[in-house]
Structures are given as C-alpha cells and as structure tokens.
Amino acid sequence: MQNKLPYLYLLNNILKSNFSDRFNLYKLNLILTYHCNFRCKTCFIWKREGMNELSLDEYARLFSKINVNWIDVSGGDIFLRDDIGGIFSLIIKSQKRLGLLHFPTNSFFIDKIYNAADYVLKNSNVKLIITISLDGPAGAHNYIRGIDNWHDSVRVYKALKAIKSKRLEVYFGYTISNLNFNKIEQAMEELKNEIPDIAYSDIHINIAHKSSHYYLNQSLDLDSKKIKEGVDHYLRNRKYKANLIDYLEHRYQTFIREYLNTSKTPLQCRGAVNSVFIDPEGIVFPCSIYDKSLGNLRENNYDLIHILKAKRSNDIRKQIRDKECPQCWTPCEAYQMILASLLKI
C-alpha cells in the first residue's frame, strides 16, 4: 500500500501557509551544478567558471538536519555530476516526509535520465515530475539551445511516458522568450508527427526571467508584448483537468498576463518562508531571482534552519513582504505563492 503520510505532511504545510506568514520551510530548490553542455541564448549558466560544488557527504550533512516535503533538483545539467545517483538515493533515504520530487532535463544523457526515474519510482512512494526542455519546433529549439537535440527531447519523452506508474508525470517545458513566442503552434505540429496524441496540456509553459546570481543573463532582451502574445496563444488552446497539477498550471499561466502588465509579482512571495534556493556551493538565497544571500551552508555547519532563523533572513523576508525585491513570476516560486493563497484567489 502506498504510504500517504508524505502527502499529508505536504498538505498540512500548504494549509498552514494560508493562515500564517511565519517561516515554515517545506520546499527546496536545489541547484546541484552550474556545469552545462548546452549554450542556451536565454540562459548563460554555461559561461560560469568551475565551481567548488557541495560533495555527496556535504549534502548528507544538510539532509540530516531537515525534513522537507518537496524538492526541485536542477542545474546546469544535473547528470554531469558523477554522483547524481548517490544524490537521488540520499534524498529518497533521508527525506522521509518527501511527497514531491521534480527535476528538469535537457535530454542529453538519455540512459541516466531513465535510470534516475526508474530508481526513484522503485525505491520510494514519491510523486515524480520530470520536465523535458523543448523551446519550439526543431529549428528554433536547436538554435536557442545551441545544440542539435530536439529529437533527443522527443525520445526521452517517449521513453519516460512508457513507464507505467501513476506516480510519474512527464511534460515538455517551454520557456517563452522573444526567440520563440510565435513558435508554439509550429512546435505542436512537429510534435504531433512524432507523438500523435500530444496535447497542449503536455507542454508546461513558463516565461524567461533575468537573474544575476543564477542565469547570469541580465543583458537578455525581453519584450513583454511578444511574450504575452505567446502566452495568449497557449491559453486559447490549453484545456485543464480537475487535479492539483492542472490547478497550479492554470493559476500560474493565467497570472502571467497580470505580471507582464504590471511587472509586479501577482501574489505574496513565499521566498525564504516556505522555500529557498541553494546554489552548488551551498549559498542560500530566497529564490532564483533575488540575489541577496541568506548565508552559506559551509559556514553554518550545514544547518539550513539556523540560517533561516537568523536576523539577516528575517530582514530579507521583510524586504520581500514589502516588495523591495526584484519582482518575478517563475514556477519555482510561484507555485508556493498560489498554494499559500487558496483562500484569497
């Protein structure tokens, strides 16, 4: 019988967030590496010099002090780490209250991606969501990504969809920018040639953002009118089902228009309240966009809770509440905002 307790812990923390703004960490945005074999034109992570990444032993020290319900594991390309299997094993074995695990992939290491999914599903009761990057029809995708791998993304999608598990959900992730805002329909046409039953609901959209400490793409040109045009096309064709994932997607996607119109975060941000961003060197940030460091795990005995209870974190939380931070609407942070606003929306 599937263990429902992790999901109940997650639900409990979501409900708490609707009644209190007090610090209550339940989600990690965990960036394992900035190394990347792609040369994307909307993200310049690949330009970084080598990083002194946290080791497997250091992650073990971190996870020995916390119990979270939701982890997003990302990079760079996480499968460039030789110890990625050990990291997934550590997460599964140490986080007994984990209900949801997500990772995006650029589809470069097909076998490693499949094996990671197989391991998680066979060794846990976790809900696993995998997002496969796909930024347009083949020509546009390969241009934006700086590497010819559109067909790899399709192959990985097919392989993962063939895994028969109710705990696995697989989607294409389409980041709308100036470069592909008008390519969604063509992307769907090409995908239908490979995957006849593909639907708009199999593609999760988000919008390109700038970040000085994550993407290093402050010079990126983002035209809100063009991006809005792409979002509107998607929304006209997207159908939603009655489940939590589609609820979050619908709320996130419909709020994109408000964000693009106002350049303001539509809901109260939960950065450093319900979630944090941890970079490969152990530096803790409120989110993927705000570049104010809360502290460094290595300098605080890998005690994340200690960092989040410190005065500096309290001060930065106040800045976020007062909207003194860069305003954003990224899925990594927006979902927690939506879930904390169930009584307000």
Side-chain angles (χ1 to χ4, degrees), residues 3-115:
N3 181 7
K4 301 293 186 182
L5 275 177
Y7 305 102
L8 293 177
Y9 283 121
L10 175 58
L11 177 60
N12 180 57
N13 281 323
I14 289 170
L15 291 175
K16 281 183 180 179
S17 69
N18 278 265
F19 294 97
S20 173
D21 289 332
R22 295 182 61 186
F23 157 67
N24 179 32
L25 180 71
Y26 68 78
K27 183 189 176 190
L28 293 184
N29 293 311
L30 194 65
I31 312 304
L32 299 182
T33 184
Y34 285 139
H35 292 297
C36 189
N37 40 26
F38 283 50
R39 297 295 180 264
C40 295
K41 292 176 175 58
T42 55
C43 168
F44 303 141
I45 284 174
W46 51 273
K47 292 186 177 182
R48 289 179 181 270
E49 301 294 331
M51 302 286 290
N52 182 19
E53 297 172 351
L54 293 173
S55 67
L56 184 60
D57 287 342
E58 288 178 298
Y59 281 118
R61 294 179 67 179
L62 164 66
F63 284 122
S64 71
K65 300 174 186 291
I66 56 173
N67 242 317
V68 294
N69 313 127
W70 182 351
I71 298 179
D72 273 16
V73 179
S74 191
D77 186 342
I78 62 174
F79 293 101
L80 284 169
R81 286 194 62 134
D82 293 335
D83 58 358
I84 186 60
I87 292 174
F88 276 119
S89 176
L90 174 63
I91 290 172
I92 294 304
K93 291 177 180 177
S94 68
Q95 299 305 288
K96 299 303 183 183
R97 296 182 178 183
L98 187 67
L100 182 59
L101 177 64
H102 166 260
F103 68 84
T105 177
N106 59 26
S107 303
F108 192 83
F109 295 103
I110 296 176
D111 291 340
K112 289 183 178 181
I113 297 162
Y114 185 92
N115 291 339

Side-chain angles (χ1 to χ4, degrees), residues 39-46 135 143-146 175-180 206-211 214-222 227:
R39 297 295 180 264
C40 295
K41 292 176 175 58
T42 55
C43 168
F44 303 141
I45 284 174
W46 51 273
D135 284 337
Y143 172 76
I144 292 169
R145 292 274 157 181
T175 300
I176 300 178
S177 70
N178 295 9
L179 300 174
N180 64 359
N206 62 83
I207 57 176
H209 277 74
K210 299 179 185 181
S211 172
Y214 187 25
Y215 305 125
L216 297 185
N217 63 350
Q218 303 94 306
S219 62
L220 187 66
D221 177 30
L222 296 176
I227 293 172

Side-chain angles (χ1 to χ4, degrees), residues 231-245:
V231 172
D232 287 345
H233 172 83
Y234 177 87
L235 290 175
R236 285 195 299 269
N237 290 276
R238 171 72 147 93
K239 296 179 180 178
Y240 297 90
K241 298 177 182 177
N243 59 52
L244 178 60
I245 300 296

Side-chain angles (χ1 to χ4, degrees), residues 160 246 328 344:
L160 293 174
D246 270 29
C328 70
K344 301 174 184 176

